[in-house]
Amino acid sequence: MLTQQTTVRPGYAPDFVIDAGGDILAHTSPPITVALEDPHDTSRAVGIAHIDHAAIAASAPSRRHWRTAGDEQVHHLLNAVDGLPVTDMAATWAIVDMRPGGTARSANRPAGGYFPTALADGLATALFLTDPERLAQHFDFACVTIRTDRVATRSRHFPGTLFTG
């Protein structure tokens, strides 16, 4: 049996990146660069984000959609009011900062723990139906949204760049 001994220092965590199907939790120095997938062409990127002590999640119907018996394309992002797929939003990204004093204020921390990747995932989904300004009243996060007409909105503190042209 092989063993390895390591000295663990309190409060110290080595660099790591966890990619759970595109939702990413990063605790790195320097930051990593994450491509923002084009919702209309998954072989391309529409921008990049730089994250180091943060979680990023994306939501888009480009990977989970199907055709109905009537040959209509539908997807998994539904409006709870009418039960129909959202048609005006193409993709969203949400970033939750984990640093003390970063974008993750105490309101983002549920009793019993802090789950930045789950929060980022929930926010990315909520952005399909809710204005970012309304969500920002309750959560600290950065985001990008792209409507189906390709108009993008980027929050002021989004740590990245959108490609134009």
Side-chain angles (χ1 to χ4, degrees), residues 33-112:
T33 301
V34 178
L36 308 179
E37 184 179 273
D38 186 331
H40 298 103
D41 180 354
T42 58
S43 69
R44 299 175 50 129
V46 294
I48 55 174
H50 306 286
I51 61 170
D52 51 9
H53 296 83
I56 184 170
S59 194
S62 54
R63 296 246 178 217
R64 283 194 268 172
H65 58 271
W66 56 93
R67 295 230 171 251
T68 65
D71 204 35
E72 178 185 11
Q73 183 170 304
V74 295
H75 57 79
H76 70 292
L77 295 158
L78 305 177
N79 182 331
V81 174
D82 59 19
L84 298 174
V86 175
T87 59
D88 59 341
M89 191 64 66
T92 63
W93 294 266
I95 295 178
V96 174
D97 193 329
M98 298 184 305
R99 286 176 288 232
T103 60
R105 67 175 179 240
S106 60
N108 287 348
R109 298 170 195 250

